[in-house]
Amino acid sequence: MLGRQSFRIERQFARRYDAALRRAGLEKRRFGLVQDDGFSEKLFAELGLGEIETMDYASFEGPSIEQDLNQPVPESLYNQFGFIFDGGTIEHVFNVPQALENVFHMLKPGGRFVSANGMNGWVGHGMYQFSPELVWTFWKRKCHANVHMCAGIHKIPGRADPLNFPDAAETGRRLKLKGKIPTGRMYLYYEVEKTDETLSSGSVLQSDYERFWDTAAQDTPKAEGKGVSI
């Protein structure tokens, strides 16, 4: 996991933990997921994800890997992890493109990345709030990953239904969310699966602009005999 995530049972949502475990078909109770130091390695292990390593910038919380995500990860970490979780770390990293490419390189083909970072209502919390467009342009088109979920999730469980965000390159139009974003803090939650393909070269371009430019280029007449646009 990126950043050593804490985990505690929030009293007002206590019963929701057990309900979620039952829905997942797990015969466990919520208090069996908690570890004495307040961190979350036991939670991931109990959910069947095996031994979790933690990557963090500084040593004070005891990560197993110290790494500045603003910088490229060493090649010894390439293709090493079948699951990577970010519960709100990349929003605190200035060099987001590098951080995302680090995640891509560290994932094994077939591995999954699960991210929950601020989308709305988090101004001042980190350096950025994120748009679903980032998921589709970077992960789907730059990385050729399979996007299994891309949604807006309210911070308070049950306060609002998840908002599913389609790919603007497929719908042909930019997301229209006026009046659809509830008040309060929202996470951009997504799950992606790495394939065997490598990163595409070139820039990451916003879907609707790229579609517009491609269409305009096709419709632009050429000067006869010269092959130049007029």
Side-chain angles (χ1 to χ4, degrees):
M1 64 181 135
L2 306 182
R4 196 171 184 204
Q5 303 288 325
S6 61
F7 176 68
R8 60 186 177 87
I9 301 295
E10 298 175 86
R11 183 178 300 176
Q12 67 269 40
F13 310 128
R15 294 182 180 179
R16 293 180 180 270
Y17 293 94
D18 288 334
L21 291 167
R22 288 195 299 270
R23 286 197 302 272
L26 299 173
E27 296 182 2
K28 300 179 184 297
R29 298 299 301 275
R30 60 185 182 272
F31 293 111
L33 307 177
V34 179
Q35 63 192 60
D36 292 340
D37 62 6
F39 290 107
S40 57
E41 288 83 3
K42 184 177 182 181
L43 166 68
F44 287 105
E46 291 291 325
L47 293 178
L49 292 166
E51 182 180 354
I52 295 292
E53 293 191 67
T54 302
M55 175 177 284
D56 212 331
Y57 177 84
S59 62
F60 75 98
E61 287 185 332
S64 52
I65 304 171
E66 290 183 39
Q67 171 71 34
D68 179 359
L69 284 171
N70 289 291
Q71 304 299 324
V73 295
E75 292 189 9
S76 60
L77 293 177
Y78 282 24
N79 302 311
Q80 291 299 304
F81 302 100
F83 175 79
I84 297 177
F85 176 72
D86 177 15
T89 293
I90 289 181
E91 64 195 15
H92 302 282
V93 177
F94 177 74
N95 193 348
V96 169
Q98 181 63 66
L100 292 175
E101 289 192 13
N102 286 338
V103 172
F104 172 84
H105 288 308
M106 290 190 293
L107 276 178
K108 298 176 181 178
R112 292 213 182 191
F113 176 49
V114 174
S115 173
N117 279 263
M119 173 185 158
N120 191 56
W122 295 90
V123 173
H125 176 78
M127 292 191 180
Y128 301 98
Q129 297 184 97
F130 293 104
S131 165
E133 179 65 24
L134 179 67
V135 180
W136 298 110
T137 55
F138 178 77
W139 285 108
K140 184 177 180 180
R141 282 177 276 284
K142 179 77 170 178
C143 301
H144 308 287
N146 296 318
V147 179
H148 291 282
M149 184 173 181
C150 179
I153 305 290
H154 203 283
K155 184 177 187 294
I156 306 300
R159 179 69 63 83
D161 292 334
L163 290 171
N164 291 312
F165 301 127
D167 182 359
E170 294 186 358
T171 63
R173 59 188 179 88
R174 189 177 297 180
L175 283 171
K176 303 295 185 182
L177 298 174
K178 184 177 180 180
K180 296 181 180 180
I181 301 293
T183 58
R185 291 179 165 184
M186 295 282 293
Y187 295 109
L188 176 63
Y189 178 91
Y190 63 89
E191 300 177 13
V192 297
E193 177 186 356
K194 184 177 177 178
T195 65
D196 291 324
E197 296 193 54
T198 59
L199 286 169
S200 292
S201 60
S203 301
V204 177
L205 301 173
Q206 187 168 331
S207 303
D208 58 329
Y209 282 124
E210 187 170 26
R211 184 185 179 97
F212 173 78
W213 293 326
D214 287 345
T215 301
Q218 292 170 8
D219 293 342
T220 301
K222 304 292 183 179
E224 185 175 353
K226 296 182 178 179
V228 296
S229 299
I230 59 173

